[in-house]
Every structure is written in C-alpha cells, then in structure tokens.
C-alpha cells in the first residue's frame, strides 16, 4: 500500500524516527516545556503519553508490515488499537503514579524540627558533625552542631531543635 506516493513501511519508519527524535528532545527540554505551558501531565493525554504513542505506532506498524502478510488497512487498525491500549496502561500504571510520588516525597526543612535522629559523625563541643534522620522514603543526612554546646558521640539519639540560616541543624541529646 502507498500513501502520498510512499510505501507504508517507509511512513511507519518515518513516524518511528520522529517519535525517537521527540523522545530525545523531551528528555532535554521537557521540564522547561512543562513549566512554560503549564503541562501537568496528570491526564490521559500528556507529552509522555503522546510521544510514546507516536513511537509505538511507528515501530509496531513497521514490524507488522514487514513481518506479516496482512492487509495494510487491517494492520493500521490493529496497530492503532494495540498502541492505544499499551500507552493507556503505561500511563495509568507507571507515568501517573510516578508523577504523584514525586509530589509526595517533597518536604520542607522546617518540617524536620522536632524529629528524632541519630548522630552519624561525632559532633564536637564547638564543631560540626553529621546526623541521619529516618524518613518514610529513606534516610537523609544533614550537617549538625550541638544546640547545648555538648559533645555528642556517634550513635547518640538526638532531637532537632532548630535549623540555622546556613541549613545546619541544631540538635540536642534525646532522652527516651
């Protein structure tokens, strides 16, 4: 079958190449475009889904045209349906949950006041050390100094009292 004077296999190949080029461009400028055009990407149609559909449609169409002996019209319909089903499933089970989890793991440093952690690197009386604070999505380490001016050895349970202007945590020994 020919479309616009080109064999359909060639058009599928061009669509596949276009999808790959768009994917590479989206990797480099996707965040900028999402910010400029306020593309949230939480709906069924978002840039990732659209680019994925284009790429899958081109690749699957090319493979079906070269491997099978079905009618080209049948291949277009099968290709469109399979590509749509795959992209919708990928969107609902991968893209949307990942975007939602990105929003859930953010935190404010001020939220860490009052949390309990542990000294990872000894905090000398007038110096700095390092603490670790367990969180839902992993453990974070932060620079710290003693709020009370006391020596806090490695392994000591601490309470975050405050955070100074430079982001250094002021901690005190935690008594359970």
């Amino acid at each position: 079958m020919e479309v616009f004077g080109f064999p359909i296999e060639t058009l599928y190949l061009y669509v596949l190449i276009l999808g790959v080029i768009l994917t590479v461009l989206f990797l480099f400028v996707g965040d900028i475009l999402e910010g400029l055009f306020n593309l949230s990407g939480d709906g069924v149609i978002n840039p990732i889904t659209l680019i994925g559909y284009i790429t899958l449609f081109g690749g699957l169409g090319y493979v079906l045209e070269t491997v099978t002996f079905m009618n080209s019209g049948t291949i277009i319909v099968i290709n469109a349906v399979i590509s749509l089903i795959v992209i919708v499933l990928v969107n609902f089970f991968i893209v949307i949950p990942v975007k939602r989890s990105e929003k859930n793991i953010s935190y404010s440093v001020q939220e860490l006041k009052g949390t309990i952690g542990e000294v990872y690197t000894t905090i000398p009386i007038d110096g700095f050390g390092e603490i670790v604070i367990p969180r839902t999505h992993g453990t974070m380490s932060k620079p710290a100094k003693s709020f009370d001016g006391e020596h806090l050895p490695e392994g000591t349970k601490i309470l975050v009292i405050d955070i100074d202007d430079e982001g250094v945590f002021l901690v005190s020994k935690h008594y359970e």
Side-chain angles (χ1 to χ4, degrees):
M1 178 176 181
E2 287 193 7
V3 178
F4 304 118
F6 294 100
I8 191 115
E9 295 92 355
T10 305
L11 291 177
Y12 280 130
L13 190 58
Y14 288 159
V15 170
L16 174 63
I17 291 169
L18 174 70
V20 170
I21 290 170
L22 288 173
T23 301
V24 171
L25 284 174
F26 190 75
L27 284 173
F28 291 115
V29 296
D31 288 337
I32 295 170
L33 292 175
E34 285 182 6
L36 286 176
F37 298 113
N38 198 18
L39 301 172
S40 65
D42 289 341
V44 175
I45 298 176
N46 59 51
I48 295 170
T49 306
L50 192 59
I51 293 170
Y53 182 81
I54 291 169
T55 308
L56 185 61
F57 183 82
L60 185 60
Y62 183 76
V63 169
L64 289 175
E65 282 288 342
T66 56
V67 173
T68 66
F69 298 104
M70 289 190 286
N71 180 1
S72 292
T74 307
I75 289 176
I76 289 173
V77 171
I78 291 171
N79 183 14
V81 170
I82 290 174
S83 297
L84 182 67
I85 290 170
V86 168
I87 290 303
V88 167
L89 290 174
V90 165
N91 190 44
F92 280 115
F93 291 112
I94 296 173
V95 175
I96 291 175
V98 167
K99 285 196 175 263
R100 287 185 183 148
S101 72
E102 286 175 357
K103 294 175 187 173
N104 289 341
I105 62 174
S106 63
Y107 67 93
S108 167
V109 176
Q110 298 302 321
E111 292 175 9
L112 298 175
K113 288 181 185 177
T115 58
I116 298 171
E118 185 177 321
V119 176
Y120 185 71
T121 305
T122 300
I123 302 173
I125 294 172
D126 291 327
F128 296 91
E130 186 176 7
I131 60 169
V132 290
I133 301 171
R135 299 287 292 175
T136 306
H137 300 288
T139 303
M140 66 175 59
S141 64
K142 297 289 182 183
K145 63 182 178 181
S146 176
F147 180 77
D148 304 321
E150 65 178 301
H151 175 79
L152 298 171
E154 179 181 326
T156 305
K157 293 286 183 192
I158 53 92
L159 176 67
V160 177
I161 306 296
D162 201 5
I163 300 144
D164 68 10
D165 295 334
E166 288 84 32
V168 176
F169 282 52
L170 304 172
V171 299
S172 182
K173 188 173 184 177
H174 180 258
Y175 300 97
E176 296 181 46

